Amino acid sequence: MTRIAVVGCGVVGSSWALVFSRAGFDVAVWDAVPAAVQQTLAFVRESIDSLAKQGLGGNENADTVCARLHPCATLEEALAGVDYVQESAPERVQIKRELYQRLDTLAAPNVVLASSTSGLPASSFTDHLTTRARCLVVHPINPPHLIPLVELVPAPWTDPAVLERAATLMEQIGQAPIRLSREINGFVVNRLQSALLGEAFRLVEDGVLSVADVDKAVADGLGLRWFFMGPFETIDLNAQQGVAEYCRNLGPMYYGLAKEQADPREWGAPLVTAIEQQRRTVTSADALPARRAWRDRCLAAFVAAKRRVLREQGNV
Amino acid sequence: MTRIAVVGCGVVGSSWALVFSRAGFDVAVWDAVPAAVQQTLAFVRESIDSLAKQGLGGNENADTVCARLHPCATLEEALAGVDYVQESAPERVQIKRELYQRLDTLAAPNVVLASSTSGLPASSFTDHLTTRARCLVVHPINPPHLIPLVELVPAPWTDPAVLERAATLMEQIGQAPIRLSREINGFVVNRLQSALLGEAFRLVEDGVLSVADVDKAVADGLGLRWFFMGPFETIDLNAQQGVAEYCRNLGPMYYGLAKEQADPREWGAPLVTAIEQQRRTVTSADALPARRAWRDRCLAAFVAAKRRVLREQGNV
């Protein structure tokens, strides 16, 4: 049985502890700040009950799951006997460099060292290690206990077998890993989001439509299919003979649009101020926390609905 | 009570007939091909029962709804006494020019003439009309009985009051209208899709990841939030103080990515062939129709789930 170390107990690390422990793994939990470890334990316990209420319950009660969590006072203790480390330390390269220096010598050589970093390439904090071939990025979309996608990004020196071990583990615990062939700025999710946001900001800056109407275009339109099908499957099913026919028919139109969208723009202060003002008429600054809680409840409910529907409809 | 004319009875016109009749409006239905009118009537009847089975039933049975549909033998008959025309004729500018020439004189002057066109600007087929100020594009995302978004696009000569009348009607029937200030290639939905697809094709062409993994990045990641929140609300809630803070922190990162994404690329034949081959290993050519039926069942189930959850969670 694989034993996991969760290193770093912020929001992301806590969600990882929940994911791994619910999947049946023993999880050593460590943070440089001992109180953070206790917060993670409390988070896992509370989450199991609240997820059950939201239709996302597992087969086990909170006591059973929490018994798999092992709070550790030292990093040495956390690494003893583990097979895989999920590191979720602060996003500062110097902190990660020093932490990986310690992991390099403290973790047995065959242990996978996976970083949750959302933006730092693994090469920026593992180049100096003796055992750098077992390091990679395993980037979740927050929170991983609700959003399955995980980006696996190798450094130039990452052993391909290490990437496969991480992918297999992610599938075992019910996440959806994607494999990048190499390091690339923003990884994939932020690059796709960047492309859409770039056009969204451009349309608002050019006075084509309001911020609220851009949001509607996605939430009441494009997002309904993207919720369960990616962009390629969407267009593949939108032409009788499939994606090649779609590209033949619409490729020239999209190329024309791409040329109109080829001006990268900074998000200037006046534009950002205008967007902020429009957003605050919908959700006031005071109401942001309540709206976030609403988002989280909706997200949990939609994830539960998605699991149910995909189970009912099968995979045709 | 507003009376509607559905002009053109293909897939889009048939769905419009369903939407308007379920919303309680009398609907005159006409097509240049009389058999198409009968297909629309049959489609509405079948859809009401199948939607009810999918948790999307209304308060009325099929007989009540279908009694509001009035098949018409001539365009003159269809336009008698209507307040609003939803035109869904073939997407050829010459066909639309000739049709609008007839609508120009046959429809009473205060009748709104709305085109379902997905790509032609209203200016391309209404410039020659005497009453062109009452023409605009009201572009649904197919099928409008499941996807609420509608793009309202005025020609340079469209009366703003006409656009507001169309928006009000769309809200009355439960659609989600967005108002563009002017004609723009691809309108908004295709421009947003273009931006995302451009990056998706770029990542595959550059060998960063597979087609299936791009699809996962959306369907198991980005799409979960975009299903119910647009891109602006998503980032607004992702920083403690809202969107301005988000832009301050991450604007430079996104500007860097935008510069890397600024090369518009044609979808070349080798790339399209590679994508087609990858897609066919997931869904064979033979299996495409069954997969489309699966998509439609899932979409209906997710729309039903979304309505239920948003009702339960309220609007915070």
Side-chain angles (χ1 to χ4, degrees), chain B residues 3-7 27-31 70-82 84-85:
Chain B
R3 183 179 169 99
I4 309 291
V6 163
V7 167
V27 184
V29 183
W30 178 81
D31 192 282
H70 308 287
C72 297
T74 65
L75 183 56
E76 288 80 349
E77 184 189 344
L79 298 174
V82 305
Y84 178 95
V85 174

Side-chain angles (χ1 to χ4, degrees), chain B residues 27 58 79 95 105 108 111 133 140 156 164-165 168-169 185 196 199 207 225 262 267 271 274 291 300 316:
Chain B
V27 184
L79 298 174
I95 290 176
T105 50
V111 177
E164 285 313 308
R165 281 175 61 197
T168 301
L169 176 62
N185 288 326
L196 190 95
E199 180 60 11
R225 290 225 173 81
W267 298 345
L271 173 60
R291 186 69 175 175
V316 174

Side-chain angles (χ1 to χ4, degrees), chain A residues 142-143 146-149 171 176-182 184-186 188-197 199-201 203-204 206-209 211 213-233 235-244 246-247 251 253-255 257-262 264-267 272 275-276 279-280 288 290-292 294-295 297-299 301-303 305-306 308-310 313-316, chain B residues 142-143 146-149 171 176-182 184-186 188-197 199-201 203-204 206-209 211 213-233 235-244 246-247 251 253-255 257-262 264-267 272 275-276 279-280 288 290-292 294-295 297-299 301-303 305-306 308-310 313-316:
Chain A
N142 205 32
L146 290 179
I147 300 188
L149 188 74
E171 275 162 4
I178 63 173
R179 295 163 173 82
L180 278 66
S181 63
R182 61 176 185 268
I184 180 170
N185 288 327
V188 163
V189 165
N190 276 338
R191 291 184 77 89
L192 292 169
Q193 181 165 239
S194 165
L196 191 96
L197 282 176
E199 180 61 12
F201 277 73
L203 289 166
V204 171
D206 291 350
V208 175
L209 77 174
V211 167
D213 277 3
V214 170
D215 274 353
K216 266 196 208 176
V218 173
D220 291 321
L222 286 163
L224 298 190
R225 289 223 173 81
W226 287 344
F227 179 61
F228 68 108
M229 292 192 306
F232 284 113
E233 178 160 23
I235 64 175
D236 192 32
L237 299 184
N238 271 346
Q240 207 56 41
Q241 305 298 323
V243 64
Y246 185 94
C247 292
M253 186 272 285
Y254 280 113
Y255 183 50
L257 295 181
K259 285 188 281 192
E260 293 182 9
Q261 299 171 321
R265 298 190 192 174
E266 283 188 275
W267 299 344
V272 170
I275 291 169
E276 168 87 9
R279 281 295 312 153
R280 293 292 75 77
L288 281 173
R291 186 70 175 173
R292 270 187 214 107
W294 171 90
R295 172 199 63 188
R297 292 194 304 274
C298 287
L299 183 62
F302 292 135
V303 168
K306 184 171 174 178
R308 176 180 53 76
V309 168
L310 291 183
Q313 297 296 340
N315 195 24
V316 174
Chain B
N142 206 30
L146 290 179
I147 301 189
L149 187 73
E171 275 163 3
I178 61 173
R179 296 162 173 82
L180 279 66
S181 65
R182 61 175 185 271
I184 180 170
N185 288 326
V188 164
V189 165
N190 275 337
R191 290 184 78 89
L192 292 170
Q193 181 165 238
S194 166
L196 190 95
L197 282 176
E199 180 60 11
F201 277 73
L203 289 166
V204 171
D206 291 350
V208 174
L209 77 173
V211 167
D213 278 2
V214 170
D215 274 353
K216 266 195 208 175
V218 173
D220 290 321
L222 287 162
L224 298 190
R225 290 225 173 81
W226 287 345
F227 179 62
F228 68 108
M229 293 192 307
F232 284 114
E233 178 159 23
I235 65 175
D236 192 32
L237 299 183
N238 271 346
Q240 206 57 38
Q241 305 297 324
V243 64
Y246 185 94
C247 292
M253 185 273 284
Y254 280 113
Y255 183 50
L257 295 181
K259 285 189 280 192
E260 293 182 9
Q261 298 171 322
R265 297 191 192 173
E266 284 188 273
W267 298 345
V272 170
I275 292 169
E276 168 88 9
R279 281 295 311 153
R280 292 292 75 78
L288 281 172
R291 186 69 175 175
R292 272 188 211 106
W294 171 89
R295 171 198 65 189
R297 291 194 305 273
C298 287
L299 182 62
F302 292 135
V303 168
K306 183 170 173 178
R308 176 181 54 75
V309 168
L310 292 183
Q313 297 296 341
N315 195 24
V316 174

Side-chain angles (χ1 to χ4, degrees), chain A residues 33-231:
Chain A
V33 179
V37 174
Q38 294 308 315
Q39 285 170 7
T40 291
L41 300 187
F43 169 81
V44 172
R45 182 167 290 278
E46 289 159 15
S47 297
I48 289 166
D49 291 336
S50 70
L51 287 173
K53 283 185 200 131
Q54 292 170 309
L56 290 163
N59 301 320
E60 299 176 318
N61 67 30
D63 287 341
T64 309
V65 174
C66 289
R68 300 193 190 106
L69 297 175
H70 308 287
C72 298
T74 65
L75 185 56
E76 289 79 351
E77 183 189 345
L79 297 174
V82 305
D83 307 284
Y84 178 97
V85 173
Q86 184 73 43
E87 168 271 311
S88 310
E91 289 280 74
R92 291 205 294 281
V93 74
Q94 198 50 42
I95 291 177
K96 289 208 197 280
R97 288 186 73 83
E98 289 166 16
L99 178 57
Y100 278 80
Q101 185 76 66
R102 295 182 66 197
L103 293 171
D104 190 35
T105 50
L106 290 177
N110 67 331
V111 177
V112 173
L113 303 182
S115 175
S116 302
T117 177
S118 65
L120 301 171
S123 60
S124 70
F125 52 84
T126 65
D127 58 296
H128 55 312
L129 306 185
T130 311
T131 64
R132 63 187 193 175
R134 40 98 165 246
C135 299
L136 81 167
V137 167
V138 173
H139 172 229
I141 311 304
N142 205 32
H145 64 272
L146 290 179
I147 300 188
L149 188 74
V150 181
E151 302 185 277
L152 308 195
V153 191
W157 42 78
T158 303
D159 180 349
V162 165
L163 192 124
E164 286 312 308
R165 280 175 62 196
T168 301
L169 177 63
M170 287 298 124
E171 275 162 4
Q172 276 183 314
I173 65 176
Q175 301 300 113
I178 63 173
R179 295 163 173 82
L180 278 66
S181 63
R182 61 176 185 268
E183 294 180 337
I184 180 170
N185 288 327
F187 308 149
V188 163
V189 165
N190 276 338
R191 291 184 77 89
L192 292 169
Q193 181 165 239
S194 165
L196 191 96
L197 282 176
E199 180 61 12
F201 277 73
R202 188 181 289 113
L203 289 166
V204 171
E205 185 164 42
D206 291 350
V208 175
L209 77 174
S210 68
V211 167
D213 277 3
V214 170
D215 274 353
K216 266 196 208 176
V218 173
D220 291 321
L222 286 163
L224 298 190
R225 289 223 173 81
W226 287 344
F227 179 61
F228 68 108
M229 292 192 306

